[in-house]
Amino acid sequence: MGAQGSHYIVILCMEGLTSLLKKFERKRKLYGIKVCRGVPPITHLFFYDDYFLFCRTTKNEVDTFHNILGDFESSLGLSVNLKKFEFILA
């Protein structure tokens, strides 16, 4: 598969992760963060090779993210490299 095809695979995978995140938002198990009043909260930003996940600093919400990543790994047969994760508390 050429480079162009691999780009589409990444996009499809990230669409799957987006669906999982939205599912947990609807269940009110994931709230994300608000950047200002009057706008919806943000749970994620995806770029081609960088992914930013946002959550409140509660054990339940962090556990929810961990579960989502586990579901993502098992459904696609991919591995999330936790060594590349960086947590920033704000």
mmCIF file of all heavy atoms in Angstrom, residues 31-58:
data_model
loop_
_atom_site.group_PDB
_atom_site.id
_atom_site.type_symbol
_atom_site.label_atom_id
_atom_site.label_comp_id
_atom_site.label_asym_id
_atom_site.label_seq_id
_atom_site.Cartn_x
_atom_site.Cartn_y
_atom_site.Cartn_z
ATOM 1 N N TYR A 31 -16.314 14.204 30.107
ATOM 2 C CA TYR A 31 -16.792 15.575 29.984
ATOM 3 C C TYR A 31 -15.845 16.493 29.231
ATOM 4 O O TYR A 31 -16.258 17.533 28.740
ATOM 5 C CB TYR A 31 -17.050 16.163 31.378
ATOM 6 C CG TYR A 31 -18.188 15.483 32.084
ATOM 7 C CD1 TYR A 31 -17.953 14.405 32.914
ATOM 8 C CD2 TYR A 31 -19.492 15.907 31.900
ATOM 9 C CE1 TYR A 31 -18.992 13.762 33.559
ATOM 10 C CE2 TYR A 31 -20.545 15.270 32.535
ATOM 11 C CZ TYR A 31 -20.281 14.194 33.366
ATOM 12 O OH TYR A 31 -21.321 13.556 33.996
ATOM 13 N N GLY A 32 -14.590 16.156 29.135
ATOM 14 C CA GLY A 32 -13.644 17.029 28.460
ATOM 15 C C GLY A 32 -13.399 18.291 29.264
ATOM 16 O O GLY A 32 -13.653 18.347 30.462
ATOM 17 N N ILE A 33 -12.901 19.316 28.581
ATOM 18 C CA ILE A 33 -12.641 20.596 29.240
ATOM 19 C C ILE A 33 -13.297 21.713 28.449
ATOM 20 O O ILE A 33 -13.519 21.604 27.255
ATOM 21 C CB ILE A 33 -11.125 20.875 29.370
ATOM 22 C CG1 ILE A 33 -10.478 20.949 27.996
ATOM 23 C CG2 ILE A 33 -10.451 19.837 30.239
ATOM 24 C CD1 ILE A 33 -9.093 21.532 28.010
ATOM 25 N N LYS A 34 -13.627 22.781 29.145
ATOM 26 C CA LYS A 34 -14.174 23.970 28.492
ATOM 27 C C LYS A 34 -13.071 25.005 28.379
ATOM 28 O O LYS A 34 -12.363 25.264 29.342
ATOM 29 C CB LYS A 34 -15.336 24.530 29.285
ATOM 30 C CG LYS A 34 -16.601 23.733 29.128
ATOM 31 C CD LYS A 34 -17.784 24.589 29.500
ATOM 32 C CE LYS A 34 -19.032 23.874 29.048
ATOM 33 N NZ LYS A 34 -19.968 24.768 28.455
ATOM 34 N N VAL A 35 -12.945 25.579 27.204
ATOM 35 C CA VAL A 35 -11.921 26.608 27.020
ATOM 36 C C VAL A 35 -12.474 28.001 27.294
ATOM 37 O O VAL A 35 -11.717 28.919 27.567
ATOM 38 C CB VAL A 35 -11.281 26.536 25.619
ATOM 39 C CG1 VAL A 35 -10.467 25.268 25.478
ATOM 40 C CG2 VAL A 35 -12.318 26.625 24.529
ATOM 41 N N CYS A 36 -13.786 28.149 27.213
ATOM 42 C CA CYS A 36 -14.437 29.396 27.616
ATOM 43 C C CYS A 36 -15.934 29.140 27.747
ATOM 44 O O CYS A 36 -16.447 28.120 27.304
ATOM 45 C CB CYS A 36 -14.133 30.535 26.648
ATOM 46 S SG CYS A 36 -14.828 30.356 25.008
ATOM 47 N N ARG A 37 -16.618 30.083 28.366
ATOM 48 C CA ARG A 37 -18.067 29.934 28.556
ATOM 49 C C ARG A 37 -18.802 29.967 27.225
ATOM 50 O O ARG A 37 -18.406 30.665 26.307
ATOM 51 C CB ARG A 37 -18.597 31.057 29.441
ATOM 52 C CG ARG A 37 -18.318 30.819 30.909
ATOM 53 C CD ARG A 37 -18.818 31.965 31.702
ATOM 54 N NE ARG A 37 -17.725 32.952 31.588
ATOM 55 C CZ ARG A 37 -17.727 34.144 32.107
ATOM 56 N NH1 ARG A 37 -18.753 34.573 32.764
ATOM 57 N NH2 ARG A 37 -16.698 34.936 31.965
ATOM 58 N N GLY A 38 -19.869 29.191 27.155
ATOM 59 C CA GLY A 38 -20.742 29.229 25.993
ATOM 60 C C GLY A 38 -20.308 28.354 24.826
ATOM 61 O O GLY A 38 -20.932 28.387 23.772
ATOM 62 N N VAL A 39 -19.239 27.590 24.985
ATOM 63 C CA VAL A 39 -18.814 26.689 23.915
ATOM 64 C C VAL A 39 -18.827 25.254 24.432
ATOM 65 O O VAL A 39 -18.700 25.024 25.626
ATOM 66 C CB VAL A 39 -17.396 27.049 23.382
ATOM 67 C CG1 VAL A 39 -17.365 28.442 22.809
ATOM 68 C CG2 VAL A 39 -16.355 26.891 24.457
ATOM 69 N N PRO A 40 -19.001 24.302 23.535
ATOM 70 C CA PRO A 40 -18.998 22.905 23.981
ATOM 71 C C PRO A 40 -17.620 22.501 24.502
ATOM 72 O O PRO A 40 -16.604 23.046 24.070
ATOM 73 C CB PRO A 40 -19.343 22.109 22.729
ATOM 74 C CG PRO A 40 -19.599 23.074 21.647
ATOM 75 C CD PRO A 40 -19.238 24.432 22.116
ATOM 76 N N PRO A 41 -17.579 21.537 25.417
ATOM 77 C CA PRO A 41 -16.285 21.064 25.913
ATOM 78 C C PRO A 41 -15.508 20.321 24.826
ATOM 79 O O PRO A 41 -16.092 19.788 23.884
ATOM 80 C CB PRO A 41 -16.653 20.138 27.061
ATOM 81 C CG PRO A 41 -18.075 19.806 26.876
ATOM 82 C CD PRO A 41 -18.701 20.883 26.053
ATOM 83 N N ILE A 42 -14.208 20.285 24.984
ATOM 84 C CA ILE A 42 -13.321 19.594 24.045
ATOM 85 C C ILE A 42 -12.802 18.332 24.724
ATOM 86 O O ILE A 42 -12.305 18.384 25.844
ATOM 87 C CB ILE A 42 -12.127 20.490 23.672
ATOM 88 C CG1 ILE A 42 -12.601 21.743 22.956
ATOM 89 C CG2 ILE A 42 -11.121 19.730 22.806
ATOM 90 C CD1 ILE A 42 -11.502 22.764 22.750
ATOM 91 N N THR A 43 -12.931 17.193 24.040
ATOM 92 C CA THR A 43 -12.379 15.955 24.576
ATOM 93 C C THR A 43 -11.130 15.524 23.821
ATOM 94 O O THR A 43 -10.326 14.759 24.346
ATOM 95 C CB THR A 43 -13.393 14.801 24.518
ATOM 96 O OG1 THR A 43 -13.826 14.644 23.166
ATOM 97 C CG2 THR A 43 -14.575 15.049 25.433
ATOM 98 N N HIS A 44 -10.986 16.017 22.584
ATOM 99 C CA HIS A 44 -9.833 15.571 21.808
ATOM 100 C C HIS A 44 -9.562 16.497 20.624
ATOM 101 O O HIS A 44 -10.460 17.177 20.138
ATOM 102 C CB HIS A 44 -10.053 14.155 21.299
ATOM 103 C CG HIS A 44 -11.229 14.033 20.371
ATOM 104 N ND1 HIS A 44 -12.531 14.070 20.819
ATOM 105 C CD2 HIS A 44 -11.295 13.889 19.043
ATOM 106 C CE1 HIS A 44 -13.357 13.947 19.784
ATOM 107 N NE2 HIS A 44 -12.622 13.838 18.697
ATOM 108 N N LEU A 45 -8.325 16.512 20.227
ATOM 109 C CA LEU A 45 -7.888 17.141 18.983
ATOM 110 C C LEU A 45 -6.966 16.141 18.309
ATOM 111 O O LEU A 45 -6.044 15.626 18.935
ATOM 112 C CB LEU A 45 -7.116 18.438 19.243
ATOM 113 C CG LEU A 45 -7.886 19.602 19.848
ATOM 114 C CD1 LEU A 45 -6.915 20.731 20.209
ATOM 115 C CD2 LEU A 45 -8.940 20.111 18.879
ATOM 116 N N PHE A 46 -7.217 15.847 17.048
ATOM 117 C CA PHE A 46 -6.388 14.904 16.317
ATOM 118 C C PHE A 46 -5.697 15.613 15.168
ATOM 119 O O PHE A 46 -6.328 16.337 14.411
ATOM 120 C CB PHE A 46 -7.216 13.760 15.739
ATOM 121 C CG PHE A 46 -7.800 12.836 16.769
ATOM 122 C CD1 PHE A 46 -9.032 12.257 16.566
ATOM 123 C CD2 PHE A 46 -7.120 12.534 17.938
ATOM 124 C CE1 PHE A 46 -9.579 11.399 17.502
ATOM 125 C CE2 PHE A 46 -7.652 11.684 18.874
ATOM 126 C CZ PHE A 46 -8.884 11.112 18.652
ATOM 127 N N PHE A 47 -4.428 15.383 15.064
ATOM 128 C CA PHE A 47 -3.633 15.792 13.923
ATOM 129 C C PHE A 47 -3.050 14.501 13.357
ATOM 130 O O PHE A 47 -3.234 13.433 13.941
ATOM 131 C CB PHE A 47 -2.538 16.771 14.349
ATOM 132 C CG PHE A 47 -3.096 18.008 14.993
ATOM 133 C CD1 PHE A 47 -3.189 18.102 16.373
ATOM 134 C CD2 PHE A 47 -3.564 19.057 14.219
ATOM 135 C CE1 PHE A 47 -3.718 19.232 16.970
ATOM 136 C CE2 PHE A 47 -4.097 20.190 14.810
ATOM 137 C CZ PHE A 47 -4.175 20.280 16.190
ATOM 138 N N TYR A 48 -2.349 14.555 12.264
ATOM 139 C CA TYR A 48 -1.890 13.302 11.659
ATOM 140 C C TYR A 48 -1.045 12.467 12.610
ATOM 141 O O TYR A 48 -1.246 11.269 12.735
ATOM 142 C CB TYR A 48 -1.124 13.555 10.354
ATOM 143 C CG TYR A 48 -0.660 12.260 9.760
ATOM 144 C CD1 TYR A 48 -1.576 11.397 9.160
ATOM 145 C CD2 TYR A 48 0.657 11.847 9.855
ATOM 146 C CE1 TYR A 48 -1.184 10.185 8.643
ATOM 147 C CE2 TYR A 48 1.065 10.630 9.336
ATOM 148 C CZ TYR A 48 0.142 9.810 8.732
ATOM 149 O OH TYR A 48 0.532 8.601 8.239
ATOM 150 N N ASP A 49 -0.105 13.067 13.284
ATOM 151 C CA ASP A 49 0.757 12.264 14.148
ATOM 152 C C ASP A 49 0.785 12.739 15.592
ATOM 153 O O ASP A 49 1.630 12.337 16.375
ATOM 154 C CB ASP A 49 2.177 12.202 13.592
ATOM 155 C CG ASP A 49 2.807 13.577 13.456
ATOM 156 O OD1 ASP A 49 2.106 14.577 13.677
ATOM 157 O OD2 ASP A 49 4.000 13.645 13.123
ATOM 158 N N ASP A 50 -0.155 13.576 15.953
ATOM 159 C CA ASP A 50 -0.287 14.038 17.333
ATOM 160 C C ASP A 50 -1.750 13.982 17.735
ATOM 161 O O ASP A 50 -2.630 14.352 16.957
ATOM 162 C CB ASP A 50 0.211 15.481 17.500
ATOM 163 C CG ASP A 50 1.713 15.587 17.459
ATOM 164 O OD1 ASP A 50 2.373 14.792 18.152
ATOM 165 O OD2 ASP A 50 2.220 16.454 16.746
ATOM 166 N N TYR A 51 -1.987 13.523 18.943
ATOM 167 C CA TYR A 51 -3.340 13.390 19.445
ATOM 168 C C TYR A 51 -3.382 13.991 20.837
ATOM 169 O O TYR A 51 -2.552 13.673 21.679
ATOM 170 C CB TYR A 51 -3.769 11.916 19.505
ATOM 171 C CG TYR A 51 -3.413 11.191 18.242
ATOM 172 C CD1 TYR A 51 -2.373 10.274 18.205
ATOM 173 C CD2 TYR A 51 -4.093 11.470 17.069
ATOM 174 C CE1 TYR A 51 -2.025 9.634 17.031
ATOM 175 C CE2 TYR A 51 -3.749 10.826 15.888
ATOM 176 C CZ TYR A 51 -2.719 9.922 15.875
ATOM 177 O OH TYR A 51 -2.365 9.298 14.713
ATOM 178 N N PHE A 52 -4.319 14.861 21.066
ATOM 179 C CA PHE A 52 -4.474 15.500 22.360
ATOM 180 C C PHE A 52 -5.813 15.070 22.937
ATOM 181 O O PHE A 52 -6.850 15.242 22.303
ATOM 182 C CB PHE A 52 -4.424 17.026 22.233
ATOM 183 C CG PHE A 52 -3.121 17.534 21.693
ATOM 184 C CD1 PHE A 52 -2.935 17.723 20.336
ATOM 185 C CD2 PHE A 52 -2.075 17.814 22.554
ATOM 186 C CE1 PHE A 52 -1.737 18.178 19.838
ATOM 187 C CE2 PHE A 52 -0.863 18.273 22.073
ATOM 188 C CZ PHE A 52 -0.693 18.453 20.707
ATOM 189 N N LEU A 53 -5.783 14.492 24.112
ATOM 190 C CA LEU A 53 -6.993 14.053 24.801
ATOM 191 C C LEU A 53 -7.155 14.910 26.047
ATOM 192 O O LEU A 53 -6.201 15.099 26.795
ATOM 193 C CB LEU A 53 -6.884 12.579 25.186
ATOM 194 C CG LEU A 53 -6.583 11.611 24.037
ATOM 195 C CD1 LEU A 53 -6.373 10.205 24.576
ATOM 196 C CD2 LEU A 53 -7.690 11.629 23.012
ATOM 197 N N PHE A 54 -8.346 15.412 26.257
ATOM 198 C CA PHE A 54 -8.608 16.319 27.372
ATOM 199 C C PHE A 54 -9.671 15.734 28.288
ATOM 200 O O PHE A 54 -10.690 15.224 27.823
ATOM 201 C CB PHE A 54 -9.113 17.676 26.861
ATOM 202 C CG PHE A 54 -8.185 18.342 25.903
ATOM 203 C CD1 PHE A 54 -8.376 18.241 24.538
ATOM 204 C CD2 PHE A 54 -7.110 19.077 26.368
ATOM 205 C CE1 PHE A 54 -7.523 18.864 23.648
ATOM 206 C CE2 PHE A 54 -6.242 19.708 25.492
ATOM 207 C CZ PHE A 54 -6.452 19.596 24.123
ATOM 208 N N CYS A 55 -9.421 15.826 29.576
ATOM 209 C CA CYS A 55 -10.426 15.386 30.531
ATOM 210 C C CYS A 55 -10.240 16.159 31.825
ATOM 211 O O CYS A 55 -9.222 16.805 32.046
ATOM 212 C CB CYS A 55 -10.351 13.885 30.783
ATOM 213 S SG CYS A 55 -8.888 13.321 31.668
ATOM 214 N N ARG A 56 -11.251 16.063 32.665
ATOM 215 C CA ARG A 56 -11.130 16.638 33.999
ATOM 216 C C ARG A 56 -10.195 15.747 34.809
ATOM 217 O O ARG A 56 -10.019 14.574 34.493
ATOM 218 C CB ARG A 56 -12.502 16.725 34.660
ATOM 219 C CG ARG A 56 -13.447 17.649 33.897
ATOM 220 C CD ARG A 56 -14.787 17.753 34.559
ATOM 221 N NE ARG A 56 -15.389 16.428 34.734
ATOM 222 C CZ ARG A 56 -16.542 16.214 35.297
ATOM 223 N NH1 ARG A 56 -17.243 17.228 35.763
ATOM 224 N NH2 ARG A 56 -17.025 15.002 35.412
ATOM 225 N N THR A 57 -9.628 16.305 35.834
ATOM 226 C CA THR A 57 -8.671 15.536 36.634
ATOM 227 C C THR A 57 -9.373 14.797 37.769
ATOM 228 O O THR A 57 -9.104 15.007 38.940
ATOM 229 C CB THR A 57 -7.557 16.446 37.185
ATOM 230 O OG1 THR A 57 -8.174 17.525 37.877
ATOM 231 C CG2 THR A 57 -6.666 16.957 36.093
ATOM 232 N N THR A 58 -10.297 13.918 37.369
ATOM 233 C CA THR A 58 -10.949 13.047 38.337
ATOM 234 C C THR A 58 -10.554 11.607 38.009
ATOM 235 O O THR A 58 -10.262 11.280 36.855
ATOM 236 C CB THR A 58 -12.481 13.172 38.282
ATOM 237 O OG1 THR A 58 -12.938 12.698 37.010
ATOM 238 C CG2 THR A 58 -12.936 14.605 38.502
#
